[in-house]
Amino acid sequence: MKKHKLLGILPPLLALLLGLILIIFLFPQEFWFKIIAILFLGIIICVIGYNLIQKNRLESLREQLMQVTLTLEEFDIDEPSAVKFKPSAYPVLNDLNANILELINRIRENYRAGKQFTQNASHELQTPLAVIKGQVELLIQSPNMGEKEMNYLVGILQNTNRLAKLNGALILLSKIDNRRFSDIEKINLRKTTEEIILNFKDLIKMKEIEIRWAEKSDWSLEMSEILSEILIGNLLQNAIRHNREENGFIEINCTAGLLSISNPGKPSNVPGEAYFKRFERNSDIEESLGLGLSIVRRICNQFDLIAIYDIKEELHTLSISKKV
Amino acid sequence: MKILIIEDEKDLQELMLRFLKREGYHCETAMTYKEGIKKTMNYEYDCLVVDLNLPDGDGLKIIRHFREDNTTSGVVVISARDSVEDRISGLDIGADDYLTKPFSLPELNARIKAVVRRKTGVFEKALVLGDISIKPDDRTVEIKGEKITLTKKEYDILLYLARNKNRIITKDSIAEYLWGDYMDNAVSFDFIYAHVKNLRKKLKDKNCGDYIRTVYGIGYKFLTP
């Protein structure tokens, strides 16, 4: 904007200047009039010169600010390389850069500490959990344990196991966030889905769930192999766990760019989006961890995929598609 | 049979010690990396149980040292690290099995037995308990000398219970042993119930003594005759 304004002022100023020069030198005038005219001329030249200089300075300031913005845009908190700004002739800009650098360092420090804390906390929890589990297991073996005491012990054991699973899920989430999975290769999600179904075949048979394929074509994409298995595993586990008690089925639709898995379940008033929130869970089902879908979404985000939960009456559908 | 437990967490170390001693193993312990290296260099062990995170060093290094002159001994890694890379590097370096904390003690016991059997061949002979004889090498079971056909899961449950005989084995522990993390408990308990029921029926049909006891609400126990 500034640039245009300056350019707008320049032509009239130049015209005025030309006019004055003509008046001063072509027409005979009084001495004092000439003095005033020359002074006036001087002022105009000064204004034009000042404007031109300012214009140049603003232009270079703008360029340098653009540089700062560009550097900030490229900033990646996970990238260890230091952010560098070119020294500038403007003290204000140097101050700004120094402040930004300080801010970045502080953010980095906090981020690193937070990351470290989550990792440490979940890892440190594993050993005490192992100790609790082992001690309860030993207690269960004691010969003079009554039925009531036994039931308490089993309760402790089951909850310890749940805690361990939850903790495991948190560790996984933090690993996904830290992009610790670098085993990127070409993955065919159709194949992965078939393999995971094979892993779950006991469970599927036990719950008498029918597997239906609406469409069964390849969808290949670049992705971490481990995470692709975790992703599909979570989707299928979800579809099995929340399936209808009788005449249950899972309908799978796999085409290039879209994979959806549907199962009949309880009709729900909760909007599909709410299912992704981390600790929201179906209170009817004790074993549900609620972290599963959160993991699904994190994995999707990392590979430019979108996960959508859709409920139409009884049919729950979770679909994954390419981000457009 | 001699086992060295290298674990810096005192409570956990004591638990494993107590559990494995009761199994009849001769156990020794080390709390640190240095102690672990020293003991593995000076004494002979049939099996090493190693925690990877030690205060003064990496358990993986102990395994590497140990492997240089012990190829027939077993190594079981226990670790809080659960990443696949850790698992793979552990197995690459020469560990025979990998357990992630928190594990269950009967499972550790079963894994040690399996590893030692595989490595040394010492325990190659069948597991004979009353009328039942289990041959882990070819995964067969005989009742009074007569072969019996079991499904994979039935066989696994029988072997797991037999290896932890006279102990109450919880349903959680069996589920973990059979399916790892793949199952949720509510469903797998029904599943285990069905498998055990079938297993007992098959054993009974062969006039085998009834050794498997249900411990109501908790799990099962294999009683030695």
Side-chain angles (χ1 to χ4, degrees), chain A residues 187 189 192 223-233 299:
Chain A
I187 301 290
L189 286 185
T192 313
M223 184 171 187
S224 148
E225 191 186 1
I226 299 167
L227 288 183
S228 73
E229 281 165 15
I230 294 174
L231 175 72
I232 307 288
I299 295 175

Side-chain angles (χ1 to χ4, degrees), chain A residues 242 263-275 280-282 284 309-316:
Chain A
H242 301 289
N263 66 280
K266 292 198 183 89
S268 165
N269 295 324
V270 188
E273 189 54 26
Y275 281 83
E280 207 147 328
R281 59 185 189 85
N282 192 342
D284 294 342
Y309 202 116
D310 187 39
I311 306 164
K312 277 205 183 83
E313 282 168 25
E314 279 207 325
L315 201 69
H316 294 237

Side-chain angles (χ1 to χ4, degrees), chain A residues 27 41 53 61 85 88 96 119 128 136 141 145-146 149 171 186 190 213 215 225 232 237 253 266 279 282:
Chain A
F27 302 97
L41 197 74
I53 292 166
L61 189 64
F85 294 113
S88 158
L96 179 72
Q119 271 162 24
V136 176
Q141 309 303 331
M145 201 60 75
E149 286 84 357
I171 292 177
K186 250 225 158 25
R190 197 252 316 149
W213 287 83
E215 175 83 52
E225 191 186 1
I232 307 288
Q237 207 164 10
N253 185 356
K266 292 198 183 89
F279 288 104
N282 192 342

